[in-house]
């Protein structure tokens, strides 16, 4: 199983992250007229499911939540045409792309790859799956994250810079997609740190699909 993820796929989040990096003297202005999607991978050992608790790795510094719509690949595919990409996923859920922000910043400053800041154990949370036919169109999904009963993030897939189908078509130019692979499609504005005893609940089209604690 492969876990793909997308960076910088919501304009307001791009501005949020760019502002923080510039304040730290790192990075440059975000270009929302991106040429190609920003793709990275997470290790399969980063997968955390079944509402199991997330144990915050205290040696990695600040850990941020990033709420994302996740789609599940349902068939083998390579060099998939965008017009047929919808045939290659069968279910949708919410996930949390946990990010070791301090580590990511350090690696960026050093000009090094920062995948270890995204792919550590437990960094890819998935919720309960919903068959895509039971939901509105993939580019019209509303979702949100509550922490300790307070809404922290809310978004709609209509605001994606790169659609799900475009992402699948693009990724399949480099990787053969296989049944069970996962695609995290990017996070909207509102990311922030988690703390011990935080209770995270995620909602997709009004349905609770995520419910877990940080330990």
């Amino acid at each position: 199983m492969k876990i793909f993820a997308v960076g910088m796929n919501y304009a307001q989040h791009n501005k949020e992250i760019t502002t923080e990096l510039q304040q730290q003297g790192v990075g440059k202005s975000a270009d929302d007229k991106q040429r190609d999607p920003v793709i990275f991978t997470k290790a399969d050992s980063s997968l955390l499911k079944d509402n199991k608790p997330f144990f915050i790795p205290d040696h990695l510094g600040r850990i941020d939540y990033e709420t994302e719509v996740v789609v599940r690949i349902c068939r083998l595919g390579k060099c998939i045409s965008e017009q047929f990409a919808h045939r290659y996923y069968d279910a949708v859920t919410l996930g949390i792309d946990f990010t070791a922000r301090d580590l990511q910043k350090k690696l960026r400053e050093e000009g090094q790859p920062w995948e270890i800041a995204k792919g550590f154990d437990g960094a890819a949370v998935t919720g309960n799956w919903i068959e895509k036919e039971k939901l509105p169109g993939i580019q019209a999904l509303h979702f949100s994250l509550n922490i300790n009963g307070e809404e922290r993030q809310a978004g709609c897939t209509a605001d994606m810079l790169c659609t799900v189908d475009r992402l699948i078509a693009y990724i399949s130019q480099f990787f053969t997609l296989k049944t069970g692979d996962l695609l995290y499609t990017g996070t909207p504005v509102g990311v922030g740190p988690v703390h011990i005893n935080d209770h995270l609940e995620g909602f997709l089209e009004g349905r609770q699909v995520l419910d877990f604690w940080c330990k």
Side-chain angles (χ1 to χ4, degrees):
M1 182 198 69
K2 300 183 291 298
I3 302 174
F4 299 102
V6 183
M8 311 292 282
N9 203 25
Y10 286 83
Q12 291 302 313
H13 170 63
N14 295 355
K15 294 176 182 177
E16 172 184 52
I17 291 297
T18 299
T19 297
E20 181 174 345
L21 289 174
Q22 289 177 333
Q23 289 172 348
Q24 298 167 352
V26 184
K28 57 183 180 179
S29 298
D31 177 9
D32 289 335
K33 298 178 181 178
Q34 293 186 55
R35 298 71 52 205
D36 292 315
V38 177
I39 305 297
F40 59 95
T41 60
K42 287 174 171 274
D44 57 4
S45 58
S46 69
L47 186 63
L48 183 65
K49 56 184 180 178
D50 301 326
N51 295 325
K52 293 179 180 177
F54 171 66
F55 290 91
I56 298 174
D58 53 12
H59 65 292
L60 294 182
R62 170 177 157 180
I63 304 296
D64 280 3
Y65 60 84
E66 297 187 12
T67 312
E68 311 197 5
V69 169
V70 184
V71 299
R72 184 177 67 194
I73 302 301
C74 63
R75 60 192 298 185
L76 187 71
K78 175 72 175 175
C79 294
I80 300 164
S81 169
E82 185 173 340
Q83 71 180 108
F84 298 121
H86 66 279
R87 300 178 181 177
Y88 287 82
Y89 53 96
D90 64 350
V92 184
T93 190
L94 283 189
I96 303 293
D97 168 21
F98 278 122
T99 303
R101 195 67 72 195
D102 292 338
L103 176 60
Q104 185 185 46
K105 173 180 176 291
K106 174 179 179 292
L107 293 170
R108 275 176 162 156
E109 288 173 341
E110 296 173 353
Q112 297 184 27
W114 41 262
E115 282 188 293
I116 59 172
K118 291 277 194 176
F120 56 90
D121 288 354
V125 182
T126 56
N128 300 320
W129 294 99
I130 302 175
E131 295 177 12
K132 69 177 184 180
E133 289 78 11
K134 296 181 179 179
L135 292 166
I138 194 69
Q139 298 305 147
L141 298 177
H142 293 84
F143 60 98
S144 62
L145 175 73
N146 288 0
I147 299 182
N148 303 325
E150 177 186 347
E151 186 176 283
R152 298 291 183 86
Q153 273 190 291
C156 179
T157 55
D159 297 326
M160 286 181 176
L161 299 175
C162 295
T163 65
V164 172
D165 290 354
R166 182 185 171 199
L167 293 171
I168 288 175
Y170 180 78
I171 292 169
S172 71
Q173 296 178 41
F174 308 96
F175 302 92
T176 297
L177 298 181
K178 296 184 178 181
T179 300
D181 288 349
L182 304 180
L183 172 58
Y184 284 67
T185 59
T187 192
V189 69
V191 304
V194 289
H195 307 91
I196 292 174
N197 294 325
D198 277 349
H199 181 205
L200 279 68
E201 299 172 281
F203 299 87
L204 179 62
E205 286 296 313
R207 305 187 197 186
Q208 186 185 62
V209 293
L210 272 178
D211 185 1
F212 69 100
W213 292 78
C214 293
K215 299 294 185 180

